[in-house]
């Protein structure tokens, strides 16, 4: 907060806003599990936006195919990071790291769906990459895999996103 005095000449001073001071104090005690949650939540928001754009391209895939391919390619990096950050959380939880044990596991349904979300995501992105880089002779089978994996992926990922929506908004908003 900037404060300007009524002295002659005016003097400008900087003061911490009370909320800023509180935020700084609370981050001093942040754990690696908190950092992992923030990273995962931020990635989830990025993925949510990119996937929404990708969803729009599906409605008119013909004229938007180039945009679909571009956004699909952009999705690869945040998807890899999200799989890595959630994989790290799972690893740290199951090897008994106290910070991650204190945070606890996701609800059972989401733990069971997690590997399926990863498998279908890899199938979807992998078949999409294959459609772009492999010879045309692979087009028909890869397109079938791409479309089928999308239908399954959409169903499973919808449950996954709804299950984590509150956490994604709460944790992602910190950044």
């Amino acid at each position: 907060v900037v404060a300007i005095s009524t002295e002659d000449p005016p003097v400008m001073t900087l003061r911490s806003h009370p909320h800023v001071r509180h935020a700084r104090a609370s981050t001093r005690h942040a754990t690696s599990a908190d950092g992992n949650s923030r990273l995962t939540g931020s990635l989830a928001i990025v993925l949510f936006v990119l996937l929404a754009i990708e969803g729009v391209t599906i409605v008119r895939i013909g004229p938007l195919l180039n945009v679909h391919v571009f956004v699909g390619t952009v999705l690869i990096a945040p998807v890899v990071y999200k799989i890595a950050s959630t994989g790290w959380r799972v690893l740290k939880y199951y090897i008994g790291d106290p910070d991650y044990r204190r945070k606890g596991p996701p609800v059972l349904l989401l733990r069971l769906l997690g590997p399926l979300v990863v498998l279908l995501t890899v199938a979807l992105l992998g078949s999409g990459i294959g459609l772009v880089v492999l010879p045309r002779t692979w087009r028909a089978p890869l397109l079938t895999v791409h479309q089928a994996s999308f239908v399954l992926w959409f169903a499973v990922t919808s449950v996954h996103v709804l299950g984590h929506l509150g956490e994604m908004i709460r944790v992602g908003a910190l950044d």
Side-chain angles (χ1 to χ4, degrees):
V1 176
V2 176
I4 301 176
S5 71
T6 55
E7 301 171 6
D8 190 29
V11 177
M12 189 165 39
T13 60
L14 294 175
R15 294 183 310 202
S16 275
H17 190 276
H19 297 296
V20 173
R21 208 175 16 240
H22 175 69
R24 284 188 192 132
S26 66
T27 57
R28 279 189 216 131
H29 302 296
T31 65
S32 63
D34 295 330
N36 179 269
S37 288
R38 288 179 72 173
L39 172 63
T40 304
S42 296
L43 287 167
I45 290 171
V46 169
L47 288 171
F48 191 81
V49 170
L50 290 172
L51 290 168
I53 295 167
E54 196 75 333
V56 169
T57 67
I58 292 171
V59 176
R60 298 197 32 120
I61 194 69
L64 295 176
L65 183 59
N66 288 338
V67 176
H68 184 79
V69 170
F70 176 76
V71 173
T73 303
V74 170
L75 275 164
I76 295 168
V79 163
V80 168
Y81 284 122
K82 178 108 173 8
I83 291 170
S85 70
T86 55
W88 182 255
R89 178 182 175 183
V90 168
L91 174 71
K92 295 294 274 186
Y93 177 81
Y94 284 109
I95 64 171
D97 183 289
D99 291 338
Y100 288 83
R101 298 296 283 186
R102 233 182 335 275
K103 193 162 188 59
V107 296
L108 181 60
L109 176 63
L110 298 177
R111 281 187 282 164
L112 296 173
L113 286 179
L116 195 53
V117 170
V118 171
L119 179 69
L120 291 169
T121 300
V122 170
L124 183 61
L125 290 176
S127 60
I129 292 167
L131 283 165
V132 173
V133 300
L134 293 176
R136 286 196 174 274
T137 54
W138 287 83
R139 187 171 176 6
L142 281 174
L143 188 57
T144 301
V145 169
H146 193 65
Q147 291 170 334
S149 61
F150 169 74
V151 170
L152 296 171
W153 172 88
F154 186 78
V156 172
T157 302
S158 295
V159 174
H160 173 79
V161 168
L162 290 173
H164 286 291
L165 193 58
E167 180 184 8
M168 178 183 74
I169 292 168
R170 187 182 74 258
V171 174
L174 295 173
D175 293 319

